[in-house]
Structure formats: structure tokens, C-alpha cells
């Protein structure tokens, strides 16, 4: 049996983690928020354990959408901050730029609560 090279298996893992993130995001859009949260949370654990940048980033985006739909803005902020830390860890300033406005948005919402 031929074993996959590390590059192949990493590309495959990337695909699996990203498609799970997308599946979670679809569930958010369909309004299946509990299910979405469960899929995305499990994927986040796996993707970050695998140190998979894009899988983790997309999952964090999905969780922000999910918690936003649940109007759980504290968790939105906490996930967004985790996204910034993840971008910094992987030296991805462009992706971090996408998140900064979210942090401002949720801080703004929360200061009125």
C-alpha cells in the first residue's frame, strides 16, 4: 500500500478541514445554529491541533457568523480575538486585517450592553 506523502496528506487535511468549515457555515445560513456550532467547534479543535491555518481561519469565521446569528456578541468578540492571535502566530497580517473591523464592531455593540 502506497502511503501519502506529507504534502499530499497535508493538502487532503486542508481540504477536509476547510470543507467541514464550509459545511458549518452553510448550517449557519440555514439557521441550524446548534448543529453549526457543534460542527465548527469540533473542526476548530482538529484544525488548530493540526496547525492548519486556512482550516482554522475559515472555522473561526464560521463561528463568528454563528454567534452573531445567536446574538452572542461576547463570544463573537472572543472568537475574533482568537483569530487575530492565530494570524499573528502564523504571520498572516492580511488575514488579520479582515478581523480587526469585527473586533471594533463587537466592542461597539458590547459597550452598550
Amino acid at each position: 500500500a502506497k502511503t501519502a506523502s506529507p504534502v499530499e496528506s497535508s493538502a487532503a487535511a486542508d481540504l477536509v478541514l476547510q470543507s467541514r468549515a464550509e459545511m458549518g457555515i452553510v448550517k449557519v445560513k440555514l439557521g441550524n445554529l446548534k448543529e453549526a456550532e457543534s460542527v465548527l467547534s469540533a473542526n476548530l479543535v482538529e484544525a488548530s491541533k493540526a496547525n492548519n491555518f486556512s482550516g482554522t481561519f475559515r472555522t473561526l469565521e464560521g463561528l463568528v457568523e454563528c454567534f452573531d446569528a445567536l446574538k452572542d456578541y461576547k463570544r463573537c468578540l472572543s472568537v475574533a480575538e482568537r483569530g487575530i492571535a492565530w494570524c499573528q502566530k502564523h504571520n498572516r497580517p492580511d488575514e488579520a486585517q479582515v478581523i480587526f473591523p469585527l473586533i471594533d464592531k463587537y466592542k461597539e455593540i458590547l459597550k452598550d450592553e
Side-chain angles (χ1 to χ4, degrees):
K2 178 184 178 277
T3 56
S5 73
V7 170
E8 283 169 358
S9 58
S10 120
D14 208 43
L15 206 59
V16 168
L17 293 165
Q18 281 198 56
S19 55
R20 273 200 216 127
E22 297 304 333
M23 188 172 74
I25 289 167
V26 166
K27 288 180 187 300
V28 172
K29 293 190 184 342
L30 294 173
N32 303 343
L33 301 176
K34 284 282 165 244
E35 220 177 304
E37 183 181 346
S38 159
V39 166
L40 291 164
S41 296
N43 200 49
L44 183 61
V45 169
E46 223 172 294
S48 47
K49 208 184 330 176
N51 205 22
N52 180 289
F53 180 81
S54 44
T56 301
F57 189 80
R58 196 68 185 119
T59 304
L60 289 169
E61 286 181 313
L63 281 167
V64 169
E65 283 183 40
C66 183
F67 296 144
D68 191 275
L70 289 165
K71 300 196 177 342
D72 187 342
Y73 302 120
K74 279 191 177 74
R75 285 171 85 189
C76 287
L77 181 60
S78 128
V79 169
E81 286 171 339
R82 195 167 164 184
I84 294 288
W86 184 251
C87 290
Q88 287 170 338
K89 176 183 174 190
H90 288 269
N91 194 20
R92 304 287 278 266
D94 293 350
E95 286 87 346
Q97 289 310 312
V98 174
I99 304 174
F100 284 119
L102 291 175
I103 288 180
D104 295 340
K105 170 187 168 181
Y106 294 120
K107 279 185 174 166
E108 190 62 32
I109 292 169
L110 288 166
K111 82 173 175 48
D112 298 331
E113 281 191 359

